Amino acid sequence: MKYTFYTLFLVFFIYSFLGYLVESICVSFNKKKIIVSRGFLIGPYLPIFGFGGLLMTLALEKYSDDLLALFIMSMVICLSVEYFSSYILEKLFKLRWWDYSEKHFNLNGRICLDVGLMFGAAGIISVKFINPIIKHFFSITPINTLKILAIIFAIIISIDFIISTKTIIKFKNSFTRYSKDSTGEVKSKVLEELSKNSFFTKRLINAFPNAKDKLNKYKEMCDQLYKKFKTK
């Protein structure tokens, strides 16, 4: 099947979500406690993995039968995305989002061989096993449904990005300068601001009076999440 603009965005979203799950599990395993505060966005997705998965989908499906080429090229693509993402984020926000300086064979602490090998393996799994499942889902789902899903997810991520970025810019001087992993600290502040935000809450209550109870429950959930992240 040929990918469309909408299905490509859904591929990006799916890999953003899967990347969030995998990274949260790996970090939780290493730290021996449950960690879910990955990335600076509020939702459970990491766009860096979305871009990596999207690029592998577009560039590497034709190498699905050549595992060595697929492994090497997956490493190159994902490490390139990770390196430039680290560089751009650091220049924009003056924060170091991750640091591999303590690992062997690292490049400026932004990428390292260990992670690169995992990216290579992930590329094989994605192209050989995950992408066929995704393509099958696309083939059996009406195109209008796929368009609606893509639009909904695009709106969610866009709003999330605006709120999170605004919070980082507002409080960036209070974050620990160039810590090895600022993502938990930043996400805690974003959740704190979200739990205190009254503008959007008042607007929604005025527009939808019956939604007041649900909004209060949502605010309580944000408060609980913030307290949870703050103690980690």
Side-chain angles (χ1 to χ4, degrees):
M1 63 162 288
K2 290 185 178 180
Y3 291 102
T4 65
F5 173 80
Y6 297 100
T7 55
L8 285 175
F9 179 82
L10 290 174
V11 168
F12 163 80
F13 187 86
I14 289 169
Y15 278 109
S16 296
F17 174 71
L18 292 177
Y20 177 91
L21 289 181
V22 172
E23 176 151 330
S24 296
I25 291 171
C26 291
V27 173
S28 297
F29 179 80
N30 290 333
K31 294 184 178 294
K32 295 181 174 58
K33 62 180 180 179
I34 297 178
I35 303 291
V36 294
S37 56
R38 306 308 301 167
F40 71 90
L41 296 179
I42 300 164
Y45 32 72
L46 292 173
I48 184 173
F49 289 101
F51 284 117
L54 182 59
L55 289 174
M56 287 191 297
T57 297
L58 291 173
L60 303 184
E61 284 194 342
K62 58 185 176 182
Y63 298 102
S64 60
D65 294 327
D66 189 341
L67 296 185
L68 180 59
L70 185 57
F71 181 86
I72 294 173
M73 295 179 74
S74 296
M75 282 185 60
V76 172
I77 288 176
C78 293
L79 287 175
S80 298
V81 170
E82 185 173 42
Y83 187 92
F84 287 108
S85 295
S86 172
Y87 180 83
I88 292 170
L89 287 171
E90 185 175 326
K91 294 301 178 182
L92 285 175
F93 300 115
K94 307 302 180 185
L95 292 169
R96 193 67 179 257
W97 297 90
W98 58 85
D99 194 333
Y100 300 127
S101 297
E102 296 180 356
K103 292 184 175 291
H104 297 297
F105 307 108
N106 73 83
L107 180 60
N108 300 327
R110 303 185 189 281
I111 56 176
C112 67
L113 180 60
D114 290 355
V115 175
L117 294 174
M118 288 191 289
F119 283 149
I124 293 176
I125 295 172
S126 298
V127 174
K128 293 286 289 183
F129 302 104
I130 298 178
N131 278 7
I133 296 174
I134 294 174
K135 292 172 76 171
H136 176 69
F137 170 73
F138 290 162
S139 68
I140 64 174
T141 305
I143 185 63
N144 287 335
T145 301
L146 295 176
K147 288 180 178 180
I148 292 171
L149 288 174
I151 292 171
I152 291 173
F153 291 143
I155 292 173
I156 291 172
I157 290 181
S158 298
I159 293 174
D160 192 336
F161 182 81
I162 292 171
I163 294 174
S164 300
T165 302
K166 182 179 179 181
T167 302
I168 294 172
I169 293 173
K170 181 178 178 180
F171 293 98
K172 67 178 182 178
N173 291 329
S174 66
F175 295 130
T176 305
R177 298 290 90 194
Y178 294 96
S179 65
K180 290 187 176 182
D181 189 342
S182 298
T183 182
E185 183 182 5
V186 171
K187 193 156 191 173
S188 294
K189 180 58 73 174
V190 171
L191 287 168
E192 178 189 10
E193 282 299 294
L194 183 63
S195 71
K196 296 189 304 184
N197 191 296
S198 61
F199 174 76
F200 292 108
T201 301
K202 289 178 181 178
R203 293 278 295 179
L204 286 171
I205 289 175
N206 289 334
F208 305 99
N210 294 331
K212 184 174 181 179
D213 292 338
K214 293 183 179 180
L215 286 168
N216 287 335
K217 291 180 180 179
Y218 180 69
K219 184 177 183 299
E220 291 176 3
M221 181 188 72
C222 291
D223 289 333
Q224 292 173 358
L225 285 172
Y226 168 65
K227 292 176 182 177
K228 182 179 179 180
F229 290 134
K230 191 174 183 181
T231 58
K232 294 180 179 181

